[in-house]
Amino acid sequence: QVQLVESGGGLVQAGGSLRLSCVASRGTIVNYGMGWFRQTPGKERDFVATINWSGGAHFYADSVKGRFTIARDNTENTVWLQMGGLKPEDSAVYYCAASKDYSVPAKHLRQYDYWGRGTQVTVSS
């Protein structure tokens, strides 16, 4: 059993930066792939970024490639999403997830076993 808690969301102006954090408050993320997804009201939860269990491979949605960076530190039981060049369309609830699936890239909801409750990111124009 793994419990995940996101933090770092908030209000930011277009063009600004924000760093989201995800920590396992129960259990460990070691040996789990980790991912970030986002969702807006009335829409599907979409893939944003993923990083494999060791941190040696990472992949991004085309919409955020070059602007977002995913990283992890297994000794701190934490994964981050560094977001830069933010746009209003990036506004969403961002979710952290852990996957037992060792395939990479893990871009699908069905590949993830544990989810945080999300953190709101709002980008103003």
Side-chain angles (χ1 to χ4, degrees):
Q1 182 69 37
V2 177
Q3 290 187 351
L4 303 173
V5 180
E6 304 96 336
S7 63
L11 298 172
V12 64
Q13 193 171 16
S17 299
L18 205 61
R19 172 174 283 193
L20 306 183
S21 297
C22 172
V23 62
S25 61
R26 178 182 295 177
T28 177
I29 65 170
V30 176
N31 296 324
Y32 286 86
M34 301 295 295
W36 287 95
F37 291 74
R38 64 187 182 186
Q39 187 172 27
T40 55
K43 300 188 68 177
E44 296 180 346
R45 189 171 298 185
D46 293 326
F47 167 76
V48 176
T50 186
I51 187 167
N52 78 328
W53 67 272
S54 69
H58 40 81
F59 302 88
Y60 302 90
D62 288 342
S63 59
V64 306
K65 193 174 300 181
R67 299 189 296 120
F68 290 11
T69 301
I70 188 171
R72 70 189 296 160
D73 187 338
N74 288 340
T75 66
E76 296 186 2
N77 222 15
T78 302
V79 62
W80 297 273
L81 184 68
Q82 180 67 50
M83 305 183 294
L86 285 165
K87 306 173 182 179
E89 51 263 44
D90 293 318
S91 297
V93 176
Y94 283 72
Y95 296 90
C96 174
S99 174
K100 300 177 182 178
D101 191 336
Y102 284 92
S103 299
V104 292
K107 301 186 293 184
H108 307 291
L109 294 174
R110 65 180 182 272
Q111 295 179 276
Y112 290 84
D113 303 282
Y114 304 102
W115 294 84
R117 293 184 177 182
T119 185
Q120 177 72 53
V121 173
T122 303
V123 184
S124 64
S125 59

